[in-house]
Amino acid sequence: MRMTTEEAFVKVLQRHGIAHAFGIIGSAMMPISDLFPAGGITFWDCAHEGSAGMMADGFTRASGRMCMAVAQNGPGITNFVTAMKTAYWNHTPLLLVTPQAANRTIGQGGFQEVEQMALFRDMVAYQEEVRDPVRIAEVLNRVIEQARRRSGPAQINVPRDFWTREIDIELPETIRIERPRGGSEAIAQAARLLSEARFPVILNGAGVVLAGAIPATVALAEALGAPVCCGYQHNDAFPGSHPLSVGPLGYNGSKAAMELIARADVVLALGTRLNPFSTLPGYGIDYWPTAAKVVQVDINADRIGLTKAVSVAIQGDARLVAEQLLGLVGPGSGRAERAALVAQTKSAWLQQLSSMDHEDDDPGTSWNERARAAHPERMSPRMAWRAIQSALPRDAIISSDIGNNCAIGNAYPTFETGRKYLAPGLFGPCGYGLPAIVGAKIACPDVPVVGFAGDGAFGIAVNELTAIGRSEWPAITMIVFRNYQWGAEKRNSTLWFDDNFVGTELDLDVTYAGIARACGLRGVQATSMGELTALLTEAVEAQMRRGETTLIEVILNQELGEPFRRDAMKKPVYVAGIRAEDMRAQETA
């Protein structure tokens, strides 16, 4: 069949159902973007490519449908780096299209030239460059399939002088490969361990959500009488209302989950790589059960046993493995006692959580005490989160940014289904909350969405307010926690650097609500719990009924939660000493 290279490209996209693209327009991609309207592909022209990549991540995580990110070669493409590494650790299958400087001039240091393959080598799950125009459809088809198989972003690099070429090709057929089910011997061994366990605990990770394995894990948990924890930032991996649901582990997670998994003699780690950050001590509890036997299930064999000692290793799809285990496990013993303990532990934790208003100071420090005294009229972060919970729709999709105030809220939201909680993941980029929730709303227009960000992180993505107010963009609700500081770094400064606040303070005169209004959106401020609950209720109604975007700026005191990295920080020692007088004048070039 005779066609142009860009026609071949778009036809492959159509065969895979990729109907949404995020980025900023550029001359190197215009031959394909010119065909997007005719091909049924919507191009979402963002304010910054980094946010475009995070919108793509939010779109796919919320819907399970792949989309693409594309921009101008060189500086447009380099802006995707952070977003793609974020998607990589979020296990999000995305198509990254990187038009390249022309083959005929590459290496000469021409306009907008950079080694784009080298740039993304550590950022994507797969990458390939088109070597000849006639291979463009073959390579694109393979890149898309690799993104799906590896559950991560995959890059196709296309020299821009390969567009507008006429070629004779046959379009490739899509290939679907059955997902691994795990070895039968390993599954039988795991079933025996779980059946004989005195106190089995299930730990659900992102793989449970991605595999659609929640119903299977509900049935498995009920068959075993096992409490179910969720991995850090994966609160939607098990129904929060289920009696066996005990909440998330990790930073500012659920004490109930920590106390119960500490009792485990067998842990079924299902669809999780057990990354170190997700199992760090919390609330002073070093909860990981080092003597327990661990059954780890992951679709990527390279990540099994990487961080924890494993008794049984199963490479497989979380749903397929859980369904097989369900058919093999026995009823076990001590179910009634476990059920009573789970209920009692959960109840005690929820009562404690509902009464937690303020953050503690470490011995020898007093920042949180001073912050409360400085602004007694302002809400604390935990007060704000309780007010939010009162108004958040049960079926909402939410996003969270990185940062102290968002992290304090880790224990609060629960969900009944998967693909509801979009957190930045373990790459930890700032500026994720706004673009991710916009992408989620584009993917799921009939579902209420609410994004969250601290004021430092939000400043990185604030320019997207200039894009999302246009009539073709869907309405969202965005909450910005305004405490006028980089909170996580400031807590480090209070603990290890004697309140030497270098680079931690934000502009007191900036109002994000005012910026939203300047962009044609609704911007409001909340200064009390009742006001915040009312404004959020109203904002969600405006989003769903009138198509209005609202930014709620929540004015908080400057209390600071737990530091992210107690495990990686320590008090510095000064030996030689540093003096400003030693600074020399620099000679001009």
Side-chain angles (χ1 to χ4, degrees), residues 48 50-51 54 82 233 399-407 423-424 428-436 451-465 478-489 503-507 510 512 515 551 564:
H48 190 278
S51 292
M54 292 179 187
T82 297
Q233 297 187 339
S399 71
S400 174
D401 220 305
I402 203 71
N404 201 260
N405 286 328
C406 285
C430 289
Y432 182 84
L434 174 61
F452 298 91
D455 46 5
F458 186 75
I460 291 176
V462 66
N463 53 354
E464 292 308 319
L465 297 180
M478 187 70 204
I479 290 178
V480 179
F481 297 113
R482 193 76 169 108
N483 64 357
Y484 306 95
Q485 61 192 354
W486 286 98
E489 289 66 34
T504 61
E505 309 308 295
L506 299 176
D507 192 336
V510 170
Y512 285 127
I515 294 174
L551 183 145
F564 278 102

Side-chain angles (χ1 to χ4, degrees), residues 42-102:
T42 302
F43 181 65
W44 299 94
D45 47 329
C46 308
H48 190 278
E49 293 89 353
S51 292
M54 292 179 187
M55 285 187 195
D57 184 69
F59 177 99
T60 295
R61 291 179 69 187
S63 66
R65 304 192 306 272
M66 272 186 69
C67 59
M68 63 183 283
V70 60
Q72 176 68 3
N73 65 271
I77 295 305
T78 62
N79 284 340
F80 279 131
V81 168
T82 297
M84 289 305 112
K85 194 61 175 182
T86 301
Y88 177 88
W89 285 119
N90 285 338
H91 317 293
T92 307
L94 297 177
L95 172 62
L96 173 63
V97 180
T98 59
Q100 175 67 280

Side-chain angles (χ1 to χ4, degrees), residues 177-200:
I177 297 177
E178 185 177 357
R179 294 170 75 84
R181 302 172 57 84
S184 57
E185 183 177 337
I187 288 175
Q189 186 181 356
R192 284 194 300 272
L193 282 178
L194 290 165
S195 299
E196 296 168 1
R198 172 187 50 79
F199 204 99

Side-chain angles (χ1 to χ4, degrees), residues 28-281:
M29 55 169 283
M30 290 182 81
I32 55 166
S33 62
D34 176 60
L35 298 178
F36 284 174
I41 298 170
T42 302
F43 181 65
W44 299 94
D45 47 329
C46 308
H48 190 278
E49 293 89 353
S51 292
M54 292 179 187
M55 285 187 195
D57 184 69
F59 177 99
T60 295
R61 291 179 69 187
S63 66
R65 304 192 306 272
M66 272 186 69
C67 59
M68 63 183 283
V70 60
Q72 176 68 3
N73 65 271
I77 295 305
T78 62
N79 284 340
F80 279 131
V81 168
T82 297
M84 289 305 112
K85 194 61 175 182
T86 301
Y88 177 88
W89 285 119
N90 285 338
H91 317 293
T92 307
L94 297 177
L95 172 62
L96 173 63
V97 180
T98 59
Q100 175 67 280
N103 267 345
R104 69 174 66 92
T105 61
I106 200 161
Q108 295 179 343
F111 184 60
Q112 296 181 324
E113 179 185 324
V114 68
E115 290 289 344
Q116 293 177 176
M117 292 289 283
L119 186 69
F120 287 95
R121 187 166 296 127
D122 189 46
M123 306 296 156
V124 296
Y126 181 81
Q127 62 178 181
E128 191 168 346
E129 186 169 66
V130 179
R131 299 294 187 180
D132 187 279
V134 77
R135 297 186 60 191
I136 195 162
E138 165 220 330
V139 173
L140 177 59
N141 187 67
R142 182 164 48 255
V143 168
I144 294 170
E145 289 175 344
Q146 288 288 349
R148 285 202 173 98
R149 291 173 198 168
R150 303 184 186 206
S151 198
Q155 174 195 10
I156 180 171
N157 203 58
V158 186
R160 62 180 297 167
D161 52 351
F162 282 6
W163 300 125
T164 62
R165 302 282 193 93
E166 289 191 28
I167 53 176
D168 284 306
I169 61 166
E170 292 295 326
L171 293 176
E173 295 295 328
T174 59
I175 301 172
R176 291 289 180 266
I177 297 177
E178 185 177 357
R179 294 170 75 84
R181 302 172 57 84
S184 57
E185 183 177 337
I187 288 175
Q189 186 181 356
R192 284 194 300 272
L193 282 178
L194 290 165
S195 299
E196 296 168 1
R198 172 187 50 79
F199 204 99
V201 175
I202 299 173
L203 172 54
N204 278 5
V208 171
V209 176
L210 296 173
I214 293 175
T217 61
V218 168
L220 182 59
E222 291 172 350
L224 291 167
V228 181
C229 309
C230 292
Y232 179 62
Q233 297 187 339
H234 298 302
N235 302 35
D236 57 348
F238 197 77
S241 64
H242 195 283
L244 292 170
S245 173
V246 296
L249 295 176
Y251 182 67
N252 279 320
S254 162
K255 274 191 182 180
M258 297 174 188
E259 291 172 4
L260 289 166
I261 200 170
R263 293 173 171 266
D265 58 336
V266 178
V267 175
L268 172 60
L270 191 60
T272 171
R273 56 191 174 89
L274 292 174
N275 78 79
F277 191 78
S278 294
T279 53
L280 288 176

Side-chain angles (χ1 to χ4, degrees), residues 499-551:
D499 287 1
N500 185 23
F501 299 136
V502 178
T504 61
E505 309 308 295
L506 299 176
D507 192 336
L508 299 176
D509 295 325
V510 170
T511 164
Y512 285 127
I515 294 174
R517 290 192 294 271
C519 293
L521 307 171
R522 184 167 176 254
V524 295
Q525 285 189 340
T527 57
S528 69
M529 292 177 69
E531 191 175 28
L532 176 53
T533 297
L535 285 172
L536 179 54
T537 301
E538 182 183 353
V540 171
E541 182 177 353
Q543 175 194 146
M544 300 305 295
R545 296 195 176 183
R546 300 192 298 276
E548 294 177 4
T549 288
T550 304
L551 183 145

